[in-house]
Amino acid sequence: MGDLIDGLLLLAHLTRRAMQRRSVDLVPIVHDIVTRLRSSDPERAVDLVVPDSLVADADPRLVRSLLENLLGNAWKFTNKTAGPRIEVGTVATGEPQASAFFVRDNGAGFDMAFVGKLFGPFQRLHANTEFPGDGIGLATSQRIVQRHGGRIWAEGAVDAGATFYFTLPPPVPPR
Ligand SMILES: Nc1ncnc2c1ncn2[C@@H]1O[C@H](COP(=O)(O)OP(=O)(O)OP(=O)(O)O)[C@@H](O)[C@H]1O
Ligand SMILES: [Mg+2]
């Protein structure tokens, strides 16, 4: 209940708070979050694959919250998977000069027939008994990405993992 209220307060807050945009490297934030997940769940061994640097022009606090949600999901939904693995990186989107970041896992996945529901508040595709949660993390993630003028989308398959893609403005080149 506490988590739910915190999540809802954050979601409400995100629509109002002024953004503080600057050049942010996502990679140290990813390492920090995964280190915390590992220490909260020390019996699990989850491989992390991440490049040296992934830079965007974004609000560092909001980016941390976005990555906490996506990495927290990847961590949770690989809970029953042998050889769990989380990968963070970028892919070309086909749109002019736009690449997307992604967070990919090899966990429980989901049925693409319901992909349209994922980002709605309180929408969950897995039973609470199997994978607990409130269904607020992806709604928050979508709000964060949209506030940056980006978009977020997902691909997955049942028992074959999930990938969450998102775009953020590129870093402003130094003058
Ligand atoms: N990495 C993933 N693999 C498989 N399914 C996912 C993944 N991430 C999200 N989902 C599906 O999308 C639903 C919504 O995700 P969301 O993060 O909003 O909620 P939650 O993780 O269930 O709860 P909360 O984030 O509030 O703790 C999940 O319940 C799950 O069904
Ligand atoms: Mg979640």
Side-chain angles (χ1 to χ4, degrees):
M1 190 66 179
D3 285 351
L4 174 59
I5 292 169
D6 287 349
L8 287 171
L9 285 173
L10 176 66
L11 181 59
H13 190 58
L14 287 176
T15 51
R16 287 180 216 119
R17 187 177 162 265
M19 289 221 294
Q20 316 246 319
R21 269 167 55 167
R22 53 179 138 95
S23 182
V24 200
D25 188 348
L26 278 59
V27 170
I29 304 175
V30 168
H31 283 299
D32 186 57
I33 294 167
V34 172
T35 301
R36 282 162 203 258
L37 288 166
R38 284 183 171 140
S39 59
S40 70
D41 216 351
E43 67 284 0
R44 291 195 58 202
V46 178
D47 281 345
L48 175 68
V49 179
V50 62
D52 289 339
S53 158
L54 291 170
V55 189
D57 181 53
D59 182 314
R61 267 188 55 191
L62 295 183
V63 164
R64 174 175 285 270
S65 178
L66 168 68
L67 290 168
E68 278 170 355
N69 284 316
L70 297 180
L71 292 166
N73 283 345
W75 185 269
K76 172 166 62 181
F77 290 101
T78 51
N79 190 208
K80 297 173 171 56
T81 303
R85 184 172 185 271
I86 300 175
E87 185 181 353
V88 183
T90 50
V91 286
T93 57
E95 289 159 34
Q97 36 133 288
S99 63
F101 301 100
F102 69 83
V103 175
R104 174 172 296 146
D105 68 69
N106 63 347
F110 60 86
D111 184 343
M112 277 302 270
F114 305 110
V115 71
K117 284 179 168 263
L118 282 183
F119 298 95
F122 309 119
Q123 300 286 347
R124 307 195 68 242
L125 303 184
H126 295 85
N128 214 279
T129 46
E130 232 193 326
F131 297 101
D134 296 315
I136 206 73
L138 286 180
T140 304
S141 302
Q142 184 178 54
R143 191 72 61 93
I144 290 170
V145 172
Q146 287 174 347
R147 278 215 69 187
H148 287 85
R151 63 188 189 96
I152 184 167
W153 67 100
E155 280 172 7
V158 173
D159 292 329
T163 306
F164 287 81
Y165 300 92
F166 58 95
T167 60
L168 290 173
V172 180
R175 304 167 16 115

